[in-house]
Amino acid sequence: MNYLIMTDLEGVAGVDRFRQTRTHDMADKGEAMKQLARETNACIEGIREADGSAKVTVIDGHGTGGLLPDDLAYGDYVRYRDFRHETLPSYAGLFFVGQHAMAGTIDAPLCHTYSSLRVQYYRLNGVFIGEFAAFAQWAGMHGVPAVFLAGDDKAALEAQLFVPAIETAVTKRGKGIEAADHLSSADACAAIRLAAAKAARRIGDIPPFVRFQPPYRFEARHYEPLASSGVPANGRPIDERTYVIETSEYRELPFF
């Protein structure tokens, strides 16, 4: 079967400073990227332990780049901006590695929603959502269940709120926006490998996440006035820092 892994950088073990993630400078980001590769490889190992014929696609979902393709032991690498969304129905399950919690989550290290510098919150049909729910919903609409998440403890709790049956592996326990108690690299990878294998075996037990139904009312609030960050063409400002989008098409929301 085919499996899809969505990766991000903020949720891996050893990362608890924005200077490790907001940069293109490998001097600051390089070790974090190596750890993301280790954790992604551990996830792949777990999947292939459960399914020896597994084919894996790995999405680099970090804005400034979180993975080097040559660091992956197996699988096809693609940047999120280049991912062909029409291929989603071909995947049996969606796995998250390196995931962080949504903006505003208490004691969640490096929590944010898409932009740590601009976005205060996203809300969809009255529910606050982060990056996990946004992509899990999109995958679910194509029949693909979100079955696994590796990241900090607050990200794991967030995933369980939306998908109670999801398998998780905790890489660190948050103590603040830039503070956490971390597992060692080896322990984080061992936990990921074990939980990913269990998730791959349980794919038939975890239904696709499709909680949000059209019409969609999406609300985004920014830290700064919208004049400095812009409003999507299909958006309508409701105050100086907030806009809404009302649509029946999920693809028209600013997750893509």
Side-chain angles (χ1 to χ4, degrees), residues 104-242:
T105 303
I106 187 170
D107 287 341
L110 309 185
C111 64
H112 64 279
T113 300
Y114 286 94
S115 170
S116 61
L117 296 173
R118 292 189 297 110
V119 177
Q120 184 174 349
Y121 68 73
Y122 279 176
R123 190 157 57 182
L124 180 60
N125 290 4
V127 177
F128 289 104
I129 66 166
E131 295 166 28
F132 169 80
F135 196 63
Q137 166 79 21
W138 183 234
M141 291 170 65
H142 291 82
V144 183
V147 299
F148 173 80
L149 179 139
D152 66 79
D153 59 328
K154 310 307 186 292
L157 289 171
E158 181 180 319
Q160 290 163 351
L161 282 173
F162 291 98
V163 183
I166 196 170
E167 293 289 340
T168 62
V170 172
T171 60
K172 58 193 168 191
R173 300 196 176 275
K175 300 173 66 178
I177 188 66
E178 289 192 299
D181 291 330
H182 300 267
L183 271 66
S184 69
S185 173
D187 286 348
C189 290
I192 290 169
R193 184 168 55 251
L194 183 66
K198 187 175 181 181
R201 294 187 181 105
R202 294 188 55 236
I203 280 178
D205 301 328
I206 303 174
F209 177 71
V210 285
R211 175 66 179 272
F212 301 108
Q213 296 296 318
Y216 303 110
R217 187 183 192 277
F218 172 83
E219 179 181 313
R221 185 166 179 84
H222 287 205
Y223 293 116
E224 302 294 335
L226 291 169
S228 65
S229 56
V231 178
N234 60 344
R236 173 173 57 85
I238 59 174
D239 65 35
E240 67 172 5
R241 293 191 291 149
T242 312

Side-chain angles (χ1 to χ4, degrees), residues 7-23 29 32-33 35-36 39 60-66 97-102 108-117 131 150-153 155 171-172 174 176-180 182:
T7 68
D8 210 344
L9 196 58
E10 287 87 359
V12 304
V15 176
D16 58 16
R17 296 290 187 272
F18 277 116
R19 65 174 174 78
Q20 296 172 278
T21 65
R22 284 175 173 166
T23 179
K29 191 174 66 169
M33 293 177 69
Q35 181 59 23
L36 176 56
E39 294 185 13
D60 186 342
H62 188 65
T64 60
V97 175
Q99 191 58 47
H100 55 82
M102 72 176 77
L110 309 185
C111 64
H112 64 279
T113 300
Y114 286 94
S115 170
S116 61
L117 296 173
E131 295 166 28
D152 66 79
D153 59 328
T171 60
K172 58 193 168 191
I177 188 66
E178 289 192 299
H182 300 267

